[in-house]
Amino acid sequence: MKSYVFPGNIREDILAIGNCQIPYMRTKEFSGINLESEALLLDFIGSPKGNVIIYTGSGTGAMDAIVSNYVKTKKKAFVIDGGTFGHRWYALCEYYQVESYDYKVSFAKDIDYIDLENVLCREKPDVLLCQHHETSSGQKFDLEKISKLCKKYNISLVVDAISSFLAEELDMETLEIDICLTSTQKGLNIPPGLSIIFISPKLKGYSFAHLGYYFDFEENLSNMKRGQTPYSPATSIFLQLHKRLLQIRKDGGVRNVINKVKERALYFRQLCMENNWNIPAECPSYAITGFYVNRNSDKIFRALIEEKDIFIMPGSVPGFFRVSHMGEQSLEDLLELALAIKEIESR
């Protein structure tokens, strides 16, 4: 099987952990593993003095936790709504009855940053929620520009880096991000099941809200001090996370991972150009390539699975597909994928 989704193909030594007997988690050994994972995660995202919460749950669970614990303490939220996942921030604010402004950005378009500043001045929010990379379209937003505006107007910055972590440059401290999140099945390229929240040291001692039992920030932060979770974790995935973080450190660190993702993305985009497949994102992330095919779009997804044992991601609009550049993937694999898509498209 060849997988160009999330996660992509996973290293065999990581998969092997999932086939092992599961150790008991309330031990000093498991605590030590989690504390080392926390330190590595904070180092990789550029916030060595921050804190980490690791939930057994998807990325949306972490978004829910951020809104219910943190955003709920604010008077007004500002949501950059550039697609499916940007809109999810707005839906969560509505669910928790947080006053919020839904700033819509067209599909695969970049933000008009001059207009953004004008609207921020008018709306006067005290927290801004955005994606670094809107996974539904492939569009990457400019966090440096967003961060400068947040600093200028004293707005707390919360960033969903679920699909940009380990695919794009991201330094939480430099960008003065207060809370950031990711999940295990994207850049970390291990099985889905864990979501990770990074909390800036600026928020140490912050009075979070308490609107959810399982996702309560203070309860989870208190337990993480001893390397534990308050409730039963997905133990095997915690072990896979630890091993993957050690591999990243051993194999040259974050820079090396990002460079590999970038190389694959640029190569596949060249193949897209050669096949006249349009890439709509104005500023595409290296994490994925979203592209339009010209013919037989209704056949490509199923034919790749049934005939080639290949998985890619369909998009929310006709003829649009997405290919991840994370995971175990070679340039030869990408050429094979492009040839397979071209062959089905040409029938």
Side-chain angles (χ1 to χ4, degrees):
M1 183 187 83
K2 294 289 179 68
S3 177
Y4 303 92
V5 300
F6 300 124
N9 286 102
I10 300 172
R11 286 174 56 146
E12 291 296 329
D13 53 355
I14 296 290
L15 290 173
I17 295 172
N19 289 326
C20 294
Q21 296 293 338
I22 301 171
Y24 184 56
M25 66 285 195
R26 304 304 186 202
T27 63
K28 66 178 182 180
E29 289 81 7
F30 190 67
S31 292
I33 284 169
N34 289 336
L35 289 170
E36 186 171 28
S37 291
E38 178 186 41
L40 288 167
L41 284 164
L42 288 168
D43 179 59
F44 291 171
I45 206 165
S47 184
K49 296 181 180 179
N51 290 102
V52 162
I53 296 173
I54 305 176
Y55 291 118
T56 295
S58 70
T60 300
M63 295 173 75
D64 185 308
I66 291 168
V67 175
S68 63
N69 283 272
Y70 182 62
V71 180
K72 186 64 177 177
T73 68
K74 302 296 186 179
K75 292 180 181 179
K76 187 174 185 179
F78 189 99
V79 175
I80 294 179
D81 182 349
T84 302
F85 299 100
H87 189 74
R88 193 162 296 171
W89 280 127
Y90 182 67
L92 284 163
C93 287
E94 284 199 313
Y95 182 86
Y96 286 105
Q97 297 181 320
V98 177
E99 182 183 357
S100 55
Y101 182 85
D102 189 23
Y103 183 82
K104 291 190 177 294
V105 181
S106 298
F107 179 79
K109 299 299 183 183
D110 200 1
I111 298 165
D112 180 336
Y113 294 96
I114 295 174
D115 180 69
L116 175 62
E117 180 169 11
N118 291 334
V119 179
L120 286 172
C121 287
R122 185 188 73 211
E123 295 297 323
K124 297 179 172 56
D126 48 5
V127 61
L128 184 148
L129 310 171
C130 71
Q131 270 56 40
H132 187 191
H133 166 229
E134 177 51 61
T135 321
S136 63
S137 66
Q139 173 65 36
K140 181 184 72 173
F141 298 128
D142 192 328
L143 280 186
E144 288 190 13
K145 291 180 180 178
I146 294 170
S147 174
K148 286 178 181 177
L149 290 175
C150 286
K151 285 185 277 189
K152 183 176 179 179
Y153 296 103
N154 194 30
I155 301 168
S156 177
L157 178 57
V158 174
V159 176
D160 173 348
I162 287 176
S163 59
S164 65
F165 182 57
L166 301 179
E168 298 287 347
E169 296 283 351
L170 179 60
D171 189 293
M172 196 170 161
E173 191 172 279
T174 300
L175 293 167
E176 297 189 31
I177 298 170
D178 288 323
I179 298 181
C180 200
L181 70 142
T182 192
S183 57
T184 49
Q185 78 274 20
K186 301 292 199 301
L188 287 163
N189 193 231
I190 63 173
L194 303 182
S195 58
I196 301 161
I197 293 178
F198 303 88
I199 301 176
S200 166
K202 292 185 294 181
L203 294 179
K204 286 186 178 178
Y206 189 86
S207 295
F208 296 108
H210 301 279
L211 298 180
Y213 189 84
Y214 185 84
F215 288 125
D216 186 83
F217 267 20
E218 289 187 9
E219 183 69 18
N220 281 272
L221 286 168
S222 175
N223 277 269
M224 194 61 186
K225 289 178 182 178
R226 62 189 182 96
Q228 289 288 334
T229 58
Y231 315 109
S232 298
T235 307
S236 293
I237 308 179
F238 273 76
L239 297 175
Q240 290 171 317
L241 171 64
H242 181 247
K243 186 172 183 66
R244 180 66 188 128
L245 293 169
L246 292 176
Q247 287 173 348
I248 291 170
R249 182 175 68 180
K250 181 181 177 182
D251 294 343
V254 172
R255 166 51 49 199
N256 190 47
V257 175
I258 293 174
N259 283 341
K260 288 181 179 178
V261 173
K262 178 180 178 180
E263 179 186 30
R264 297 167 194 152
L266 294 178
Y267 178 72
F268 188 73
R269 286 165 196 173
Q270 179 61 39
L271 295 175
C272 287
M273 289 179 59
E274 293 172 6
N275 288 292
N276 296 313
W277 299 331
N278 179 48
I279 298 169
E282 290 186 341
C283 183
S285 169
Y286 298 130
I288 68 168
T289 297
F291 61 100
Y292 287 103
V293 296
N294 299 304
R295 296 180 65 251
N296 289 335
S297 61
D298 58 329
K299 298 180 175 63
I300 288 171
F301 179 71
R302 289 305 312 173
L304 285 173
I305 296 172
E306 294 167 3
E307 300 173 20
K308 312 288 186 180
D309 201 21
I310 290 175
F311 291 83
I312 63 173
M313 296 175 282
S316 58
V317 292
F320 184 68
F321 295 95
R322 296 168 297 151
V323 167
S324 165
H325 299 299
M326 302 174 186
E328 295 298 288
Q329 181 184 111
S330 68
L331 302 186
E332 290 78 13
D333 291 332
L334 291 167
L335 177 58
E336 177 187 11
L337 171 63
L339 290 171
I341 295 172
K342 186 65 176 179
E343 188 272 320
I344 299 165
E345 184 189 43
S346 301
R347 290 177 184 174

